[in-house]
């Protein structure tokens, strides 16, 4: 019943803002509706991290800036939204820095703060009570700091920061597993500055490939099996003074591409094979993009940040589907597998978007109708062209007549001036002759 309530279409998105409020949204249609608001507004009590507790999307965990780890779930009897405190003294994660290591198992939450303090908390179940969680002893250890970006999956912890290049640690042994190496020196033989601002795994089923976005407008792709240096590196040249602060990988909808957001509200699509910016979401939001999330099943991406707007757009066309005004600065966002914007998508029997080229092509039975429509459109176009050509001809004739009339008027004025001049000369000559006779 709990799963049906989440995936039945009532809730598709959960957001957390800078004042500590958690909001739940119904996005089944373009007219976004707010279902519930949880929490109390407090200054400097934002929600920097949020994640799901299981693959059924029945429980969500979010960390507050005051050190509280909260759990959001629906009551089984009344299906009302309930929040409960899991633990006090939880680390304050970096932006988008709270993750569940394995959603298919009992939740194991991992978070890291700016000083490199990592906390791993294993819960007995997603519905564990406050009494049960109070007896738990989370694992605490330190990693090289400062840390600006953190991501965790299946026991691997990937992080980086200012002058702290990408590193991968093992959560179980609490030791370093792999570290990246900086690219070659620039043309002045100076070291390229390192500032990792966002980290994401490039493939959903592999922990070997990791994508990063830096504070020096660089996008890099690492493969732990190949070498320590990035296998692909790209630098956005058009905006050399803008910091990239968020990153998302829209696989499998757009393979070999990443979505990056900068500090002024722009969202770019970068192709790692051609090293080019292949698209941009228009218009920009006007505020720093802090979170970019991809729908687990549909080609939909959500971007939000300091502009207080949550903008949903299509991954394939990059057109904006809908917007939500949050009233507060949004700091975290997660989405379920539920249907979203069904008035703009068509799903097949398996629940996937019908974007197959062959399915979109008309069948042979529709060929005569299509030819008739094409012929009608050609006739309409031809009629419009004839009308336009007639209008142009009439305008040209009118301009020619106007030029002829103007030329005739000028000739008449010139003739009048000549005739008047001749008459004046004749009068002067007559006067001169009379004076000579006198």
């Amino acid at each position: 019943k709990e799963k049906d309530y989440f995936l039945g279409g009532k809730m598709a998105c959960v957001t957390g803002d800078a004042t500590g409020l958690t909001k739940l949204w119904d996005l089944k249609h373009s007219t976004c509706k707010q279902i519930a608001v949880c929490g109390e507004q407090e200054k400097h009590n934002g929600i920097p991290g949020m994640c799901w507790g299981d693959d059924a999307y029945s429980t969500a965990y979010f960390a507050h800036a005051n050190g509280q780890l909260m759990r959001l779930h629906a009551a089984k009897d009344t299906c009302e939204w309930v929040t409960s405190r899991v633990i006090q003294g939880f680390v304050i994660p970096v932006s988008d820095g709270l993750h569940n290591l394995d959603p298919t198992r009992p939740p194991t939450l991992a978070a890291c703060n700016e000083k490199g303090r990592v906390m791993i908390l294993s819960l007995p179940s997603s519905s564990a009570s406050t009494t049960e969680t109070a007896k738990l002893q989370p694992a605490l250890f330190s990693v090289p700091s400062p840390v600006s970006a953190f991501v965790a999956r299946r026991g691997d912890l990937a992080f980086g920061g200012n002058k702290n290049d990408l590193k991968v640690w093992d959560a179980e042994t609490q030791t370093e597993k792999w570290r990246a190496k900086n690219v070659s020196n620039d043309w002045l033989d100076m070291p390229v500055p390192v500032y990792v601002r966002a980290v994401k795994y490039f493939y959903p089923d592999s922990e070997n490939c990791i994508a990063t976005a830096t504070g020096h407008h660089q996008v890099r792709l690492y493969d732990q099996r190949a070498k320590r240096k990035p296998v692909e590196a790209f630098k956005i040249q058009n905006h050399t003074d803008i910091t990239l602060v968020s990153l998302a990988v829209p696989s499998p909808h757009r393979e070999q591409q990443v979505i990056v957001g900068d500090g002024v509200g722009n969202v770019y699509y970068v192709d790692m094979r051609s090293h080019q910016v292949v698209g941009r979401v228009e218009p920009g939001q006007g505020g720093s993009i802090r979170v970019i999330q991809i729908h687990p099943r549909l080609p939909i991406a959500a971007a939000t940040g300091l502009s207080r707007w949550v903008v949903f757009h299509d991954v394939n066309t990059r057109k904006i589907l809908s917007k939500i005004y949050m009233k507060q600065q949004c700091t975290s966002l997660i989405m379920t597998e539920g249907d979203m914007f069904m008035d703009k998508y068509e799903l097949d029997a398996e629940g996937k978007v019908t974007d197959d080229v062959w399915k979109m092509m008309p069948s042979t039975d529709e060929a005569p109708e299509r030819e008739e429509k094409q012929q009608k459109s050609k006739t309409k176009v031809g009629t419009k062209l004839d009308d336009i050509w007639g209008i142009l001809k009439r305008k040209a004739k009118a301009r020619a007549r106007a030029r002829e009339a103007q030329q005739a008027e000028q000739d008449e004025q010139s003739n009048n001036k000549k005739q008047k001049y001749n008459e004046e000369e004749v009068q002067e000559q007559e006067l001169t002759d009379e004076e000579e006779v006198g």
Side-chain angles (χ1 to χ4, degrees), residues 33-321:
K33 297 180 181 179
Q34 183 175 295
I35 300 176
V37 179
C38 304
E40 297 180 358
Q41 283 186 302
E42 294 182 11
K43 191 176 182 180
H44 307 301
N45 190 27
I47 303 176
M50 184 180 292
C51 69
W52 292 112
D54 50 23
D55 56 353
Y57 305 99
S58 61
T59 306
Y61 293 91
F62 50 94
H64 283 277
N66 60 0
Q68 289 187 354
L69 178 66
M70 305 295 291
R71 181 167 65 95
L72 173 69
H73 63 97
K76 295 182 179 180
D77 299 333
T78 61
C79 283
E80 293 180 356
W81 300 104
V82 180
T83 57
S84 58
R85 188 177 68 182
V86 179
I87 191 175
Q88 178 70 32
F90 198 74
V91 297
I92 303 173
V94 296
S95 180
D96 197 18
L98 178 64
H99 300 276
N100 189 359
L101 294 180
D102 193 353
T104 61
R105 298 180 179 180
T108 300
L109 306 181
C112 180
N113 60 10
E114 295 179 355
K115 297 181 179 180
R117 194 67 172 166
V118 178
M119 178 178 286
I120 299 178
L121 178 63
S122 298
L123 302 176
S125 64
S126 60
S127 59
S129 63
T130 306
T131 306
E132 295 175 349
T133 56
K135 301 178 182 179
L136 299 176
Q137 295 296 330
L140 285 170
F141 60 93
S142 298
V143 297
S145 61
V147 176
S148 301
F150 175 82
V151 67
R153 183 196 286 178
R154 299 189 185 96
D156 285 353
L157 312 176
F159 58 91
N162 189 15
K163 299 180 182 179
N164 184 18
D165 212 343
L166 177 65
K167 297 177 180 62
V168 179
W169 276 48
D170 193 316
E172 184 176 357
T173 61
Q174 301 178 9
T175 56
E176 184 177 287
K177 185 178 179 180
W178 180 86
R179 68 164 54 198
K181 188 177 181 181
N182 197 9
V183 296
S184 303
N185 295 348
D186 58 10
W187 64 281
L188 291 174
D189 199 21
M190 297 291 291
V192 177
V194 175
Y195 192 3
V196 180
R197 291 299 304 267
V199 180
K200 292 290 182 181
Y201 287 102
F202 197 68
Y203 296 109
D205 55 351
S206 175
E207 290 78 37
N208 294 317
C209 296
I210 302 175
T212 64
T214 72
H216 303 286
H217 46 274
Q218 300 159 345
V219 181
R220 296 175 179 177
L221 178 62
Y222 296 89
D223 191 346
Q224 301 179 44
R225 300 165 297 181
K227 56 182 180 179
R228 292 171 56 191
K229 288 188 176 183
V231 294
E232 298 289 347
F234 172 71
K235 187 174 183 180
I236 300 180
Q237 300 288 350
N238 296 335
H239 305 279
T240 57
D241 57 343
I242 295 177
T243 301
L244 301 179
V245 294
S246 56
L247 174 71
V249 180
S251 180
H253 306 294
R254 304 292 293 179
E255 295 183 357
Q256 304 299 325
Q257 290 187 10
V258 296
I259 308 175
V260 293
D262 59 20
V264 296
N266 297 316
V267 178
Y268 301 98
Y269 278 71
V270 178
D271 194 319
M272 300 305 296
R273 292 170 297 185
S274 61
H275 296 181
Q276 292 181 353
V277 177
V278 296
R280 178 174 176 266
V281 179
E282 297 286 353
Q285 298 187 35
S288 178
I289 304 296
R290 297 304 176 91
V291 182
I292 301 177
Q293 290 290 344
I294 309 297
H295 193 277
R297 182 170 52 88
L298 301 176
I300 299 174
T304 182
L306 302 185
S307 65
R308 297 178 173 86
W309 284 96
V310 181
V311 179
F312 297 90
H313 67 272
D314 188 280
V315 171
N316 298 319
T317 62
R318 294 183 292 275
K319 292 183 178 180
I320 295 178
L321 300 174

Side-chain angles (χ1 to χ4, degrees), residues 415-431:
N415 293 331
N416 292 336
K417 287 182 180 180
K418 288 181 179 179
Q419 185 176 0
K420 186 176 181 181
Y421 178 76
N422 293 333
E423 291 178 354
E424 290 178 353
E425 283 189 347
V426 170
Q427 291 177 359
E428 289 180 358
Q429 186 65 34
E430 291 178 352
L431 291 173

